[in-house]
């Protein structure tokens, strides 16, 4: 990986604008245009069938008023029942088809969001706060999914109903249709006012909720430190302050919705009154029949539900739109940080590691590395040695491709085809599930025999003797593992992944004396034939490496082979002499480096 970055990482994940969001959703829907067309036509047919109700009822009124007899009334009644039944069936079927299609599109969007998120550079996620990502793949996805399931079919049906009802009014009498339109200015005013403010309000609510969640996440992660320093009150006050901000903004959203709903009700009252007065006047002059005036009133009354549903759903639509914008913002990052297919990521050769003039600062202010330059020839190993805080782990993470330097470059393999890298740290995560599930994270298609072979190579024969073998459930809900055993599983993953470059950051630091020897043997098998960078937890690891690099205060103090550095009599030689003076641990290894 090569990078020449001079600016600190962004502090927030991007949010797509409205145009980009619409373009992305339309692009995804176009791939299912035939299914979409069938669903919409079915819904349209159902709406048209149900809108035969007002003229049929008007015909019944005219038949009764004219004394046409029971036969005609009965026939109109049967037609009314048939139209209602056909409309209900088509509306149900169309709604089901539309929801199924949209949920399929959203499922793919969710998968794309997750795929992009898990492959983003760690510094991108850390700078934005993990709660932002969690909020997008949970709350935003939930808002969009609910809108797709509940709101979209209703809005589609409401739109068809409004359009066909206005056509029906115009067919009865254009003057009745024009009378109903007196409510339109109120609707337009209410909608514009709502749309003008709601997008910003709902966007603020999402951001404030995300910030509140971040406080909770950080407090849980740092619970021990919070208790140790007795800062519970400070964190609770911070959480309370952020909660109040979120609630106040939510209250603004409620006020906005209430004002919008009140204006909609006023528009309905105004429109119905205009239609009734116009119908009364036209009937009095003989311009329309009583049935036509009744049908017009029923048509307009039937608009109350659809118009209310359409405009009232703007609340849910706005929330879903904000969610979609945030989700599309994540997927767009996939173009900036493309994920290479596994077949392309693996380099069949043994790549070099070339670090040139690398500087790195946490949060853009805390310097961790200064102008570090080094080279690890293909198939050789480099040990990083230094006091705590010297920059060993930071350099190892950059070599592993986790984060990018502020200045300089890190190249593994060739710039055009960077090699895959695998990082193993002392903080290895054990995922919920079986032993086989945890191992197949490294190679999803691995057979049971391949998993067993990797465990034996990693010195983890104990895992094969578990009661359920590879099907043993691990973690709190199953069989707990100690730190050394978890490290065994991690090293077995490396063997399954078979990367050309391995970075080991104190990979045996958490192991006890009983498992340390086994892990050291496993490490030797993991690193054999690979280009390797090791953060030396013990100087014995440095002695076994092809070359050693000593860091002091984020800078290179000296580098060379073990024998060359001892002969030079510098910092490394002093460390080695100090370790031999202080003796060795019970297992015969030199003590931990400072």
């Amino acid at each position: 990986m090569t990078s020449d970055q001079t600016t600190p990482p962004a502090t927030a994940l991007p949010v797509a604008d409205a145009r980009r969001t619409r373009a992305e959703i339309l692009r995804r829907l176009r791939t299912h245009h035939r299914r979409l067309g069938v669903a919409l036509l079915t819904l349209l047919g159902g709406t048209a069938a149900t809108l035969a109700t007002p003229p049929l009822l008007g015909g019944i009124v005219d038949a009764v008023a004219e004394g046409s007899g029971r036969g005609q009334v009965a026939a109109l009644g049967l037609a009314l029942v048939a139209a209602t039944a056909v409309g209900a069936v088509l509306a149900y079927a169309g709604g089901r088809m539309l929801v199924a299609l949209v949920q399929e599109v959203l499922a793919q969007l969710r998968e794309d969001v997750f795929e992009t998120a898990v492959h983003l550079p760690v510094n991108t996620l850390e700078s934005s706060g993990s709660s932002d990502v969690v909020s997008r793949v949970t709350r935003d996805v939930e808002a969009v999914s609910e809108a797709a399931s509940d709101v979209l079919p209703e809005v589609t049906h409401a739109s068809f109903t409004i359009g066909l009802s206005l056509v029906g009014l115009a067919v009865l009498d254009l003057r009745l249709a024009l009378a109903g339109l007196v409510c339109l200015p109120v609707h337009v005013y209410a909608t514009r006012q709502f749309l003008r403010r709601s997008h910003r309000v709902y966007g603020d609510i999402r951001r404030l909720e995300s910030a509140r969640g971040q406080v909770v996440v950080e407090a849980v992660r740092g619970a021990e430190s919070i208790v140790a320093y007795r800062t519970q009150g400070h964190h609770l006050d911070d959480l309370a302050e952020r909660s109040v901000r979120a609630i106040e903004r939510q209250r603004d959203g409620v006020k906005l919705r209430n004002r919008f709903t009140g204006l909609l009700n006023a528009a309905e009252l105004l429109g119905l009154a205009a239609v009734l007065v116009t119908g009364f006047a036209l009937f009095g002059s003989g311009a329309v029949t009583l049935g036509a005036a009744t049908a017009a009133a029923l048509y307009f009354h039937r608009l109350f539900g659809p118009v209310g549903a359409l405009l009232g759903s703007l609340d849910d639509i706005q929330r879903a739109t904000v969610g979609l914008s945030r989700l599309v913002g994540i997927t767009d990052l996939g173009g900036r940080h493309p994920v290479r297919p596994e077949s392309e990521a693996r380099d069949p050769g043994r790549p070099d590691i070339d670090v040139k003039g690398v500087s790195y600062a946490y949060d853009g202010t805390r310097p961790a590395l200064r102008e570090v330059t080094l080279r690890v020839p293909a198939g050789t190993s480099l040990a990083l040695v230094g006091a705590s805080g010297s920059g060993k782990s930071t350099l190892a993470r950059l070599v592993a491709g986790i984060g990018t330097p502020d200045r300089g470059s890190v190249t593994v393999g060739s710039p055009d085809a960077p090699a895959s890298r695998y990082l193993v740290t002392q903080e290895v995560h054990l995922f919920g599930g079986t032993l086989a599930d945890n191992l197949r994270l490294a190679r999803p298609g691995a057979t049971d025999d391949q998993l067993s072979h990797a465990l034996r190579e990693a010195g983890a024969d104990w895992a094969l003797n578990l009661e359920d073998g590879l099907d043993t459930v691990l973690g709190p809900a199953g069989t707990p593992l100690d730190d050394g055993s978890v490290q065994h599983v991690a090293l077995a993953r490396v063997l399954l992944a078979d990367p050309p470059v391995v970075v080991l950051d104190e990979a045996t630091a958490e192991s006890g004396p009983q498992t340390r020897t086994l892990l050291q043997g496993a490490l030797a098998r993991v690193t054999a034939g690979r280009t390797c960078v090791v953060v030396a937890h013990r100087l014995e690891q440095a002695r076994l490496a092809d070359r050693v690099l000593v860091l002091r205060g984020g800078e290179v103090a000296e580098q060379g082979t073990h024998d060359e550095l001892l002969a030079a009599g510098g910092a490394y030689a002093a460390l080695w002499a100090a370790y031999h003076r202080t003796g060795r641990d019970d297992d015969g290894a030199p003590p931990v480096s400072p």
Side-chain angles (χ1 to χ4, degrees), residues 451-497:
L451 300 184
S452 299
H453 179 72
L455 287 170
R456 293 190 186 95
E457 284 293 301
D461 299 79
W462 56 265
L464 299 174
N465 297 324
L466 294 172
E467 182 177 357
D468 295 321
L470 294 172
D471 294 325
T472 301
V473 177
L474 305 180
T479 302
L481 299 182
D482 59 29
D483 293 331
S485 299
V486 175
Q487 288 287 359
H488 267 140
V489 174
L491 293 176
R493 286 181 192 147
V494 178
L495 292 170
L496 286 166

Side-chain angles (χ1 to χ4, degrees), residues 363-430:
D363 301 326
T365 57
R366 294 176 292 159
L369 296 173
R370 299 182 181 87
E371 296 295 328
V372 174
T373 297
L374 62 93
R375 187 174 184 275
V376 185
T380 65
S381 59
L382 173 72
L384 302 179
V385 175
S388 177
S390 61
K392 303 188 300 295
S393 294
T394 301
L395 179 56
R397 288 166 66 87
L398 293 178
V399 170
I402 300 179
T404 54
D406 297 332
R407 289 192 303 275
S409 65
V410 178
T411 305
V412 180
S414 67
D416 297 330
S420 63
R421 288 150 279 178
Y422 210 104
L423 171 67
V424 182
T425 72
Q426 58 182 312
E427 298 176 354
V428 179
H429 186 71
L430 190 67

Side-chain angles (χ1 to χ4, degrees), residues 24 44 57 119 126 136 149 160 170 172 179 205 208 211 257 270 315 343 365 376 477 528:
E24 178 63 17
L44 182 61
L57 286 172
H119 286 94
E126 290 178 346
R136 296 190 190 212
S149 299
F160 289 158
L172 286 173
I205 290 173
L208 291 170
R257 290 193 296 272
L270 181 61
D315 183 30
S343 60
T365 57
V376 185

Side-chain angles (χ1 to χ4, degrees), residues 149-196:
S149 299
D150 302 331
V151 178
L152 184 60
E154 184 178 4
V155 166
T156 305
H157 179 69
S159 300
F160 289 158
T161 300
I162 292 170
L164 293 178
S165 295
L166 292 175
V167 171
L169 272 172
V171 169
L172 286 173
D173 192 286
L174 186 59
R175 290 166 291 186
L176 293 171
L178 293 175
L181 292 179
V182 299
C183 66
L184 188 59
V186 181
H187 277 145
V188 171
Y189 172 78
T191 303
R192 292 187 62 181
Q193 289 295 312
F194 181 78
L195 293 178
R196 185 173 60 86

Side-chain angles (χ1 to χ4, degrees), residues 290-316:
L290 180 60
T294 302
L298 290 173
Y299 265 132
F300 192 84
H301 187 268
R302 286 178 67 88
L303 288 174
F304 285 7
V307 170
L310 182 61
L311 298 181
S313 63
L314 289 175
D315 183 30
D316 296 313

